Amino acid sequence: MKGLELLLLPLLFILKDVSAQWNVWMPRDISAMTNSCVVVPCSFTYPSGIRPYRGVHGIWYFGHPFPQLFPPVVFKSRTDIVHESYKGRTRLLGDLTQKNCTLLIKNVGAEHSGRYYFRADLGGANIYTYPDFTQLQVLDQPNIDVPEEIISDQSLDLTCYVPDNCPDMTPEIHWMYTDYLPDPFFTPDGVEESNTPVQSITLTFTPRPMHNGQLLGCRVHYPNTTFVYERLISLDVKYGPRTVWVNVSQEVMEGSSVVLHCDVDSNPIPTITWFFGEKELTSVIASNASLFLENLAPEDQGIYTCAGDNAYGSMNTSMFLAVNYPPREPWINESITAMQGSSFSLQCISKGNPMPTLTWLKNGELVGTITAHEEGSTLELHEIEPQADGVYRCLAENEYGRASSSLNVTVEFAPVLLDDSKCTIIREGVQCICIASGNPEPAIEFYLPDLNITINGSNNRYNFFTHSDHYTSTGIIKLRDKGERGNNGDTAVHVHCSISNIYGSDTIRLELQQEKKYIMAVIVGTIGGVAVIAFIIAAVRYVGQNNKKENGNPGRDVGSKVENPAMFYSAVKKDKQSLRKKVLKTELLGSKFNSILEEGTGDDGDYQSVGPIGGMERQELNYAALEFLHGRHREGGFRRADGDGSDYTEIKTK
């Protein structure tokens, strides 16, 4: 075994040396257009020690280099026997004796695409198939060299090329559908790739987003033939979002639902994100996205933004969503207590959409000076008077509803004596009324010459009671004596009324209404005035006739008897009571009367204080009385006043 190895070793070295000199050169890849021809350049070498026997011959195989596998014969120099698909199509252009094995293939078709191998035949055992090959590609359209990435607004070069290795046919190349490109520029060129000639033309322009998807074409024509080849491509222009479309701003009602849409134009497809203010709501990779909002509340009102983003840029668009709702209950000040003459402001704030109109009302009417501002309204009250006291209401209104809130304004002021304060003659004696308004409700005191009365009560000399109603205090005292006679025959009373609260006080003498004025007021104010006068005349005549019968003096004038009030009272007592009822009814119907008595005169010194009273309701008091006081002095009755105007010396405090 070892001896055999020693014998084979020199033979291996000899074969290695020989094979090292069998070389061939041909293009690795070559192409040709369908129906055209192709020239496959080829050259070869063989060991220098070999002498060709009967010349140098060569064979071209298709597919693989091993003859024992019977590959199709493309060309054979010893004979014209070739595979049927190559009959009449092949011709050797090179001189094998010059080691040139260049092959021409005409009228190539798709079935001719593949590997081509050359085999050198030098005679005898000197036959060698070269392992190198040429890969033929038969094309039915030209090639277009397109960059891997086309970016908007960046210059782009597109090259269309075709093989130009057919000696009998020279191609002409044109670009198609370039009319709408911005400033296209064409550069023809002829190059050689892998020793294979190639014709090309380069299109240069700057694409825009609008060119994404646009078709471009390269057209190849061989003159003097009908062979035309075309290829179309669609531009894939990359660009960031250039438009982001969302709903227009809109208004919806509280509690309703809405769908917001967003469409983004970009390449590639962007990531769409919805924001509410700075808060991210949703995110999705898509060309469009919708945002569903349900049961909307006022706090959902605001700016909604759709943002589109990809590797080439970003863009966003916003819209405003308004949520309408009726006014909320206004916020206002707490109730206020203020002094007369002071000034202050009332604040009112209410939310609503649209912004509500704010109105200040008092007793259903607009009040004060209203200053409106973004947060609400202010009612300015300056140097207020007691009439400003009451309930103030702030009304908030918009087209979807209304709401209101109220507060109390209490005005405190010094007491004021009302005009209805007076003294009048009544059947039982003298009644004095003192009515005052103030806040706090004023205390009322009566001053008499020798008597002060501070609490509700009565005795054989007087009745005294008080009443109050909403800042008005009323004090009433009834004196059982009917006053004193003055020098002029008038009756006089000496009653002073004092009113006071924490802000002030006042004292005034209450005047006694006079008889004549009182009778005229009754007559004028009585609805049935004519009937009353007729009744009085009838009553006087009746008394006169009775007096004639009793006194036997028929010639005495009736009118003179009427001047005697005591006689008149005794004679027509029943009639007078009937008259009093009618007069009282007349007063209750609304007539106002004046006193029938003249004011008495007297000394206003020597008065004692009557204590305060309060907490009384105000009443409108009307009085009716017929009292004729010019009769004779009786025990316990009124006496004529002294010339110096003395007071009630006979009334004593018990």
Side-chain angles (χ1 to χ4, degrees):
M1 187 69 179
K2 185 176 180 181
L4 180 61
E5 292 178 351
L6 293 174
L7 291 174
L8 293 176
L9 183 62
L11 180 61
L12 292 175
F13 281 109
I14 294 173
L15 292 175
K16 182 177 180 181
D17 179 66
V18 172
S19 63
Q21 299 181 37
W22 292 92
N23 294 316
V24 68
W25 179 92
M26 64 181 68
R28 183 74 175 184
D29 296 290
I30 196 168
S31 60
M33 301 303 297
T34 303
N35 299 319
S36 68
C37 67
V38 60
V39 174
V40 181
C42 177
S43 62
F44 64 98
T45 62
Y46 52 87
S48 58
I50 297 178
R51 295 289 180 265
Y53 177 72
R54 294 182 181 179
V56 178
H57 297 277
I59 302 174
W60 282 92
Y61 291 113
F62 175 77
H64 51 81
F66 306 111
Q68 63 271 23
L69 298 179
F70 304 102
V73 176
V74 176
F75 173 82
K76 190 174 183 180
S77 61
R78 287 182 178 273
T79 177
D80 58 358
I81 300 175
V82 296
H83 190 271
E84 61 181 7
S85 63
Y86 290 97
K87 287 182 178 181
R89 297 178 184 237
T90 59
R91 180 166 59 94
L92 190 66
L93 297 180
D95 186 355
L96 294 179
T97 61
Q98 300 297 321
K99 303 178 182 180
N100 187 338
C101 52
T102 301
L103 178 68
L104 171 66
I105 305 175
K106 299 186 296 183
N107 195 23
V108 295
E111 67 276 14
H112 300 131
S113 294
R115 293 181 178 183
Y116 288 82
Y117 295 88
F118 179 70
R119 179 182 177 89
D121 183 2
L122 303 180
N126 298 315
I127 300 174
Y128 184 80
T129 302
Y130 295 96
D132 294 336
F133 61 87
T134 290
Q135 178 77 38
L136 174 63
Q137 182 180 11
V138 180
L139 307 175
D140 60 357
Q141 59 183 1
N143 286 320
I144 297 179
D145 187 8
V146 181
E148 291 184 0
E149 187 176 66
I150 301 175
I151 301 176
S152 174
D153 302 317
Q154 294 185 11
S155 181
L156 173 65
D157 290 335
L158 297 178
T159 301
C160 177
Y161 59 91
V162 292
D164 185 18
N165 53 13
C166 181
D168 300 330
M169 302 172 66
T170 301
E172 293 182 356
I173 307 173
H174 301 280
W175 278 99
M176 300 183 297
Y177 312 122
T178 61
D179 294 342
Y180 299 101
L181 297 180
D183 302 322
F185 183 75
F186 304 95
T187 305
D189 193 12
V191 297
E192 186 172 310
E193 294 182 357
S194 300
N195 296 318
T196 299
V198 173
Q199 289 292 330
S200 68
I201 183 168
T202 300
L203 168 64
T204 303
F205 69 101
T206 300
R208 300 284 187 263
M210 62 180 295
H211 299 125
N212 182 49
Q214 179 171 337
L215 292 177
L216 290 177
C218 178
R219 186 173 185 272
V220 177
H221 170 65
Y222 288 95
N224 301 321
T225 70
T226 59
F227 302 146
V228 177
Y229 309 92
E230 294 181 350
R231 183 177 181 180
L232 297 177
I233 62 170
S234 177
L235 295 179
D236 183 16
V237 181
K238 308 295 184 181
Y239 57 94
R242 64 168 182 165
T243 59
V244 177
W245 178 91
V246 298
N247 307 65
V248 296
S249 296
Q250 55 185 300
E251 297 182 0
V252 296
M253 274 301 296
E254 179 181 21
S256 63
S257 301
V258 70
V259 179
L260 305 183
H261 297 284
C262 179
D263 288 308
V264 178
D265 178 13
S266 70
N267 185 33
I269 293 175
T271 298
I272 296 179
T273 305
W274 273 102
F275 294 90
F276 176 52
E278 299 295 328
K279 179 181 178 182
E280 180 178 328
L281 301 179
T282 63
S283 184
V284 62
I285 298 177
S287 59
N288 58 76
S290 297
L291 179 65
F292 298 88
L293 301 174
E294 297 180 331
N295 195 23
L296 290 166
E299 52 268 23
D300 295 321
Q301 175 172 296
I303 296 175
Y304 289 80
T305 301
C306 176
D309 176 73
N310 63 15
Y312 301 95
S314 62
M315 188 178 185
N316 64 75
T317 301
S318 299
M319 57 87 65
F320 184 80
L321 180 65
V323 181
N324 294 326
Y325 58 97
R328 300 298 190 243
E329 181 178 351
W331 177 91
I332 58 176
N333 309 67
E334 298 291 336
S335 294
I336 294 175
T337 299
M339 270 289 296
Q340 179 182 7
S342 63
S343 301
F344 55 86
S345 300
L346 301 181
Q347 302 292 331
C348 179
I349 299 174
S350 178
K351 292 184 178 180
N353 194 25
M355 182 69 70
T357 300
L358 301 178
T359 305
W360 280 100
L361 302 172
K362 181 175 181 285
N363 299 327
E365 296 182 356
L366 291 173
V367 292
T369 300
I370 299 175
T371 303
H373 47 83
E374 183 177 356
E375 296 299 327
S377 72
T378 301
L379 173 61
E380 305 284 349
L381 297 178
H382 301 286
E383 298 181 356
I384 59 172
E385 294 297 329
Q387 293 80 3
D389 188 281
V391 178
Y392 288 76
R393 183 164 65 103
C394 178
L395 176 63
E397 295 179 287
N398 67 14
E399 58 187 281
Y400 301 105
R402 60 172 56 188
S404 66
S405 296
S406 300
L407 62 88
N408 291 320
V409 173
T410 302
V411 181
E412 294 187 340
F413 56 96
V416 178
L417 190 70
L418 302 184
D419 293 340
D420 290 339
S421 300
K422 60 187 175 181
C423 288
T424 57
I425 303 297
I426 62 176
R427 180 176 179 180
E428 295 82 1
V430 176
Q431 176 176 274
C432 294
I433 301 174
C434 185
I435 306 175
S437 178
N439 188 21
E441 293 172 347
I444 295 181
E445 301 175 353
F446 282 102
Y447 290 82
L448 301 177
D450 60 346
L451 183 65
N452 61 349
I453 302 171
T454 61
I455 60 175
N456 293 344
S458 63
N459 57 25
N460 61 351
R461 295 183 58 195
Y462 69 87
N463 287 330
F464 175 66
F465 61 93
T466 60
H467 187 65
S468 62
D469 178 19
H470 191 65
Y471 309 154
T472 300
S473 295
T474 303
I476 302 176
I477 185 170
K478 293 182 179 180
L479 301 175
R480 302 188 186 283
D481 200 349
K482 295 189 177 181
E484 299 178 344
R485 291 286 182 178
N487 292 333
N488 57 358
D490 294 332
T491 301
V493 294
H494 298 278
V495 178
H496 282 71
C497 175
S498 177
I499 56 177
S500 63
N501 66 11
I502 60 175
Y503 298 109
S505 61
D506 192 13
T507 301
I508 189 171
R509 178 178 176 180
L510 299 178
E511 302 294 342
L512 181 64
Q513 293 186 353
Q514 300 300 310
E515 294 175 352
K516 293 179 180 179
K517 294 180 180 179
Y518 187 72
I519 292 176
M520 291 303 295
V522 172
I523 294 173
V524 173
T526 304
I527 297 176
V530 176
V532 173
I533 294 173
F535 174 78
I536 294 174
I537 293 174
V540 171
R541 289 180 178 177
Y542 176 77
V543 173
Q545 291 174 359
N546 288 341
N547 287 338
K548 284 181 181 180
K549 293 178 181 179
E550 294 176 1
N551 298 328
N553 188 6
R556 191 170 183 181
D557 185 78
V558 175
S560 63
K561 294 182 180 181
V562 177
E563 296 295 329
N564 189 331
M567 184 178 293
F568 174 78
Y569 181 83
S570 63
V572 294
K573 181 177 181 181
K574 295 182 179 179
D575 297 329
K576 186 180 75 171
Q577 291 176 349
S578 177
L579 175 61
R580 180 185 296 276
K581 293 180 179 178
K582 293 184 178 181
V583 173
L584 180 58
K585 181 177 181 182
T586 302
E587 283 202 342
L588 293 176
L589 290 174
S591 301
K592 295 184 178 180
F593 305 98
N594 296 317
S595 174
I596 62 171
L597 300 178
E598 298 290 339
E599 296 181 358
T601 60
D603 190 1
D604 291 337
D606 303 332
Y607 287 96
Q608 299 181 18
S609 173
V610 178
I613 58 175
M616 302 176 64
E617 296 183 1
R618 178 179 180 183
Q619 296 180 352
E620 184 178 354
L621 302 176
N622 299 310
Y623 306 95
L626 282 178
E627 296 292 345
F628 297 90
L629 302 177
H630 294 289
R632 67 175 181 270
H633 176 74
R634 295 181 295 160
E635 187 65 27
F638 283 22
R639 64 180 177 84
R640 191 179 302 275
D642 295 335
D644 58 359
S646 299
D647 296 323
Y648 297 134
T649 58
E650 73 279 18
I651 300 177
K652 303 298 183 180
T653 303
K654 292 183 179 182

